[in-house]
Structures are given as structure tokens and as C-alpha cells.
Amino acid sequence: MKGLIKGLRKQRIRWRYVFLLGSVMTTIVVLLHTPTFSIFTDEEETESSSSLPIYLNGSLHLNIQIVSEAKIESFPALTTTPVIELNSSDGFSRGKLVEQVTKIDLDRKRRKRKKRKKTIDELILPDPPPVPRHVLSSSERHALSLSPKEALAFAKLEIQLAPEVFNDTELFAPVFRNLSGFKRSYELMELILKVYIYPDGEKPIFHQPHLNGIYASEGWFMKLMESNTQFVTKNPEKAHLFYMPYSVKQLQNAMFVPGSHNIKPLSIFLRDYVNMLSIKYPFWNRTRGSDHFLVACHDWGPYTVNEHPELRRNTIKALCNADLSDGIFVPGKDVSLPETSIRNAGKPLRYVGNGNRVSQRPILAFFAGKLHGRIRPQLLKHWRNKDEDMKIYGPLPHNVARKMTYVQHMKSSRYCLCPMGYEVNSPRIVEAIYYECVPVIIADNFVLPFSELLDWSAFSVVVPEKEIPRLKEILLEIPMRRYLKMQMNVKMVQRHFLWSTKPRRYDVFHMILHSIWFNFLNQNKTSYDHASDS
């Protein structure tokens, strides 16, 4: 060995070149055993996708489809870690791309998501199907050239002769009293109806809708009506109906003196407003106000018309407080307005969520709320803390709400109790429909919303006030098969109680307008009616 070393020393070896040669050989070996991916243009990928697999070396081959998928997915390195498995039997053998998500990363992301995300119930409405094209008949084309009075006579006769509808693709027949009549009436409303909106009146009482809270229905109707181009006309001579765009909620805020318990000044203000219209325009005096309408959801809405006899007696009143006992609301002429609670004016469907399936509703009946009026204290007297199946509270206790919120209670209940408060209507009725809980309405003398059109017995239960002690017995007597039908009908009727920033056919805006149109037609005496009477 010493001799060999001495011999090597005598020969002048350039060690620098030896190291360089070794580095090159090592690099070549590594490259031969490492899978590399070619970079393709879109055209090259298309051409290569139908070719044979590309062999990167003698033992490893990858299909082009894998490369294409990898390119499309852009290698999400933040969520996955590529691991190359080595086969110990043959050294550097086939490399295999494995998608592995570490448990630590997932736990970290879940913690961040929990901190960042707040539970928001929001009903996501699918895009409505395209409106089926309606080809006008010769009589419908003729109706467009008629005067307002003649067009109303035509529409009334057409509704009476409406063809029977059995299987409609847009509407669910079981929730309607007469689907054929409603369908034809709605089509004629879209074809004929024109509404003139009085421009008079100063903000905030006029032309400034109040869009939040439990009285938001009157504000949302005003907002959508004033921005509408299909039904609104600038020419009052072509109008069939005249809208007085004021808000009782804004009137309360502007004129009511807190603690005075006197709302007569509000009624006097509206009396003077109507008198001004009757002097300035000829339209009120032509019919004594019978072709005029107002929309008021505030509890005081009915009482603000008392100082003007024609306003109280003749005008079509769309009211949330549709109470027969007051003698102000007239069934068949006036319209019962749904009381909808809007929390976010920018997104009226926010906090409106889909309900649980029936198997996830262990609670028989639920109520929580303030003890307004005469009915709710009676309800709590008989059922609070009396039965595990009946979750009846006043305001929802904090220790209960921490475990299950008000909305979660509604989603977990088969029946949602809707007792009247100070007045007959309650936003709980529409809330129950939103969460697919069958509403149980406890309010004598209450005319239910759209009751001239909707069959409330198909999707709700009405319990007389005197039957509160038998409430559980009444609910348990309902067969499961009937409950399942009612719960399904609640889902199907839901669309008719939803506000949208852009109105959809058959939504609550169009349902209110149609009820006003429908009742006006039924009240209006036409030449056809006079002929039939004789």
C-alpha cells in the first residue's frame, strides 16, 4: 500500500478534474432516477393527450392524463404534502405521488374557521325558471286597448270562466283554495293592471320606506312598488288603482308624543292628506276612494283611518292587524298583510334558513316571547314547565339559549305556537313558515294573510283561545300522515312569504298586489254584473 501511494505521488494527478468528473456522474445518476414533468402549452397537451405514455426512464412511466390533472389542480401545496415512497428492495424505484393532509394542519384550520365563522342562517333561493311565454289571445290583445273600466269588466268575466288547472308546473295546488281562479287572475293582473302612485307628501312619512323590524312589510311594499315599471303608470287616466304611499311606522316616529296614549293626531293628519288629494285631483271623488288603497303593517294602521269616513269605509286597506272585532277590517274588500320581521334591510333573506327534516324535530311544540296581551299569560299558565314535549317560555332564558337558540328551537319543533300579542297578527307565523315548522295560530277574530287565496288548513293549525288547556291533546290527535302533508305544504307555500330585493313571480310583493287586485275586482260592479243581476 505504501508503495502504491508513493507511485501515485510520483504521478501528477489533477484532483480537481477527478472531483468534477465525479460530480457530473453523480448528477446523471440522480437525474435518471428522478421523475420530471414536462411543461406543455395548451396545444401540446391537446395533441399529446391521445398519445402513448411518456417513459421518463427505464422503470418509471406516467400517463399524460395525470400530468394534465396536476396542471389543472395547480398543485395545492398549502393543503397537501407530496411524499415519494421508496422501495428498499431495488433502491430508487418507482416514485409515487401521494396526497397527504397532516392532522395538525387540519386541526389548525378548524380552529381558525371556528373563530372566524359565525353561524348565519340564510335561505338561498335558486334562480327562478324562465317565465313561460304566454301567447296573447285575440281577446287579450283587445283588452289592452280597453278603457280601465272596460278592462276590469273583461278581467272579472275571464276569471269566472277560468279553465280548470290540474298539474301546474309553477304552483302547488294543495295550498290554494282555487288554483284555477288564482292562476287566471294573476295572469290578467300581469297583463292589465296599472297603478298610479300619488307623488304628493314629504319625507319621511311619504315615499321613505321603513325596511327593518316587524313592521317592515309596509316599507318593503312601498320600496318595490315605487321602483316597479311593470305595474306603475305615470298617467292617472290609465290607472285602475291609486296608491297612497305613506308609512304608519314613519308617521308614528314623526308625530306621536311618547306617553300621551293619543293617536288621534295621526288620524287627523291622514284625514287632511286625503282631503288635499280630493281637492287637487278628480280621482278620489269619482269613486269616493273605492279604487284607492293603502298598505300599513303597524298595529295602529286600522285606527289611523277613523277621522275620514270614506277612507275608513271605501278604501282598500292592506293591514297586518286584520282584526274583525274592531269593525274596521272588512273581509272580501280589505287584505290581510303578513307580518314579516326583517333584520337586515340589505339582505331580507338573511337569517332565514331551511328547517330540519321531520326526524330531527324532537320537540312537539315551542313558544318563546314577551307576555304581551291576554293570550300569552294563559299559555304559560297552563304549559310552562308542565310537559317535556311542550317547550313553552316567556323570553327565552339565557341558560336555555346558550344550548339551543330561538331559531334552533323552531327548526327542532314540529309545531310552532303563534299566540296573538297586543294585536291579532304575529311575525312568528311567517317565521314558522321560514323554518318549515307548522304554525299553530291562537288568535280569535284574526283574518289570516291571503286567506281569500290560500287554504290555511292545508299547512297550519288554528286553535281557539278557549282550547289552550287542551293544546297538547289537539296536536297529538293529528295523525302523522296528515302532519307530514302539512309540513310538506309549509315548504311549498314558503315562496309566497319571501321578500327579495328583486321581486320574483308569486313572492310576497306580488301576492299582496294580487290580493288588492283580486278584492277590487270582486267589489267592483261592472256592466256584466248589472246584466246578470237583471
Side-chain angles (χ1 to χ4, degrees), residues 82-100:
V83 178
I84 298 178
E85 295 183 353
L86 301 180
N87 192 336
S88 59
S89 61
D90 56 355
F92 289 97
S93 64
R94 294 186 302 171
K96 186 176 181 182
L97 199 61
V98 179
E99 205 172 88
Q100 180 182 9

Side-chain angles (χ1 to χ4, degrees), residues 317-475:
K317 302 177 289 293
L319 302 172
C320 284
N321 189 8
D323 190 348
L324 291 175
S325 64
D326 293 331
I328 299 174
F329 185 92
V330 180
K333 176 179 74 71
D334 297 328
V335 173
S336 179
L337 195 67
E339 190 168 313
T340 54
S341 180
I342 304 296
R343 302 183 190 179
N344 188 326
K347 296 181 179 181
L349 295 181
R350 198 171 188 181
Y351 305 108
V352 176
N354 296 315
N356 296 344
R357 64 186 68 178
V358 174
S359 61
Q360 296 174 337
R361 293 178 178 269
I363 302 171
L364 177 64
F366 165 71
F367 169 78
K370 295 180 180 179
L371 302 184
H372 297 323
R374 66 181 188 273
I375 301 302
R376 296 181 186 182
Q378 290 295 316
L379 180 65
L380 266 69
K381 175 184 175 181
H382 288 91
W383 293 108
R384 179 163 60 180
N385 299 326
K386 300 292 178 64
D387 195 300
E388 281 298 316
D389 295 331
M390 309 282 285
K391 301 295 184 182
I392 310 299
Y393 306 95
L396 194 64
H398 292 295
N399 62 328
V400 175
R402 280 197 297 267
K403 299 176 183 178
M404 183 182 289
T405 65
Y406 177 86
V407 171
Q408 289 170 340
H409 271 89
M410 277 197 152
K411 289 184 176 184
S412 302
S413 301
R414 294 186 182 180
Y415 298 97
C416 290
L417 306 185
C418 308
M420 65 175 287
Y422 291 129
E423 305 298 345
V424 289
N425 209 340
S426 168
R428 284 169 183 77
I429 298 174
V430 177
E431 286 177 346
I433 293 173
Y434 285 169
Y435 298 115
E436 300 169 10
C437 179
V438 176
V440 178
I441 300 157
I442 311 173
D444 294 351
N445 302 312
F446 177 36
V447 179
L448 294 167
F450 311 136
S451 55
E452 67 278 0
L453 305 169
L454 297 178
D455 181 9
W456 279 82
S457 65
F459 56 90
S460 71
V461 180
V462 177
V463 175
E465 296 171 8
K466 64 180 181 180
E467 298 291 346
I468 288 178
R470 294 184 57 247
L471 188 56
K472 182 177 181 181
E473 180 184 349
I474 291 172
L475 297 180

Side-chain angles (χ1 to χ4, degrees), residues 176-188:
F176 287 93
R177 290 183 177 273
N178 181 356
L179 178 61
S180 304
F182 170 74
K183 181 83 172 177
R184 187 61 180 142
S185 176
Y186 192 95
E187 291 171 349
L188 291 167

Side-chain angles (χ1 to χ4, degrees), residues 119-333:
T119 302
I120 297 176
D121 293 316
E122 183 168 3
L123 186 65
I124 306 300
L125 293 180
D127 292 332
V131 178
R133 185 178 179 181
H134 178 66
V135 180
L136 298 181
S137 65
S138 58
S139 60
E140 288 174 336
R141 287 195 297 270
H142 175 65
L144 295 176
S145 62
L146 298 176
S147 67
K149 189 173 182 179
E150 293 171 332
L152 292 174
F154 166 81
K156 191 168 185 178
L157 180 59
E158 283 286 307
I159 294 171
Q160 291 172 352
L161 302 177
E164 193 164 359
V165 177
F166 295 100
N167 296 317
D168 190 81
T169 57
E170 294 183 279
L171 298 168
F172 191 62
V175 301
F176 287 93
R177 290 183 177 273
N178 181 356
L179 178 61
S180 304
F182 170 74
K183 181 83 172 177
R184 187 61 180 142
S185 176
Y186 192 95
E187 291 171 349
L188 291 167
M189 178 189 75
E190 292 182 315
L191 176 68
I192 294 173
L193 178 61
K194 293 299 175 186
V195 178
Y196 180 74
I197 303 175
Y198 283 110
D200 308 83
E202 296 182 358
K203 296 180 178 181
I205 297 174
F206 300 90
H207 308 288
Q208 184 169 316
H210 183 83
L211 302 176
N212 289 326
I214 62 174
Y215 304 129
S217 288
E218 65 181 31
W220 273 94
F221 182 86
M222 182 193 299
K223 169 186 168 66
L224 298 177
M225 192 76 241
E226 293 199 315
S227 62
N228 188 274
T229 57
Q230 179 182 3
F231 299 108
V232 174
T233 178
K234 299 295 183 181
N235 184 357
E237 297 295 339
K238 294 183 177 180
H240 307 92
L241 288 166
F242 295 81
Y243 174 41
M244 296 177 288
Y246 69 88
S247 166
V248 178
K249 176 62 178 176
Q250 299 285 39
L251 184 62
Q252 177 210 13
N253 293 340
M255 300 197 64
F256 178 69
V257 178
S260 66
H261 305 288
N262 182 17
I263 64 173
K264 189 173 181 178
L266 284 66
S267 186
I268 293 173
F269 177 86
L270 288 182
R271 178 199 66 189
D272 295 342
Y273 167 71
V274 173
N275 287 337
M276 179 272 296
L277 294 180
S278 65
I279 295 172
K280 185 175 180 180
Y281 302 95
F283 313 115
W284 180 277
N285 294 326
R286 288 189 316 195
T287 63
R288 298 299 176 186
S290 63
D291 55 358
H292 288 56
F293 72 92
L294 60 90
V295 178
C297 193
H298 196 282
D299 290 348
W300 298 348
Y303 314 121
T304 58
V305 302
N306 284 335
E307 292 297 314
H308 197 292
E310 291 179 346
L311 179 64
R312 171 174 172 157
R313 183 176 61 252
N314 299 335
T315 301
I316 300 172
K317 302 177 289 293
L319 302 172
C320 284
N321 189 8
D323 190 348
L324 291 175
S325 64
D326 293 331
I328 299 174
F329 185 92
V330 180
K333 176 179 74 71

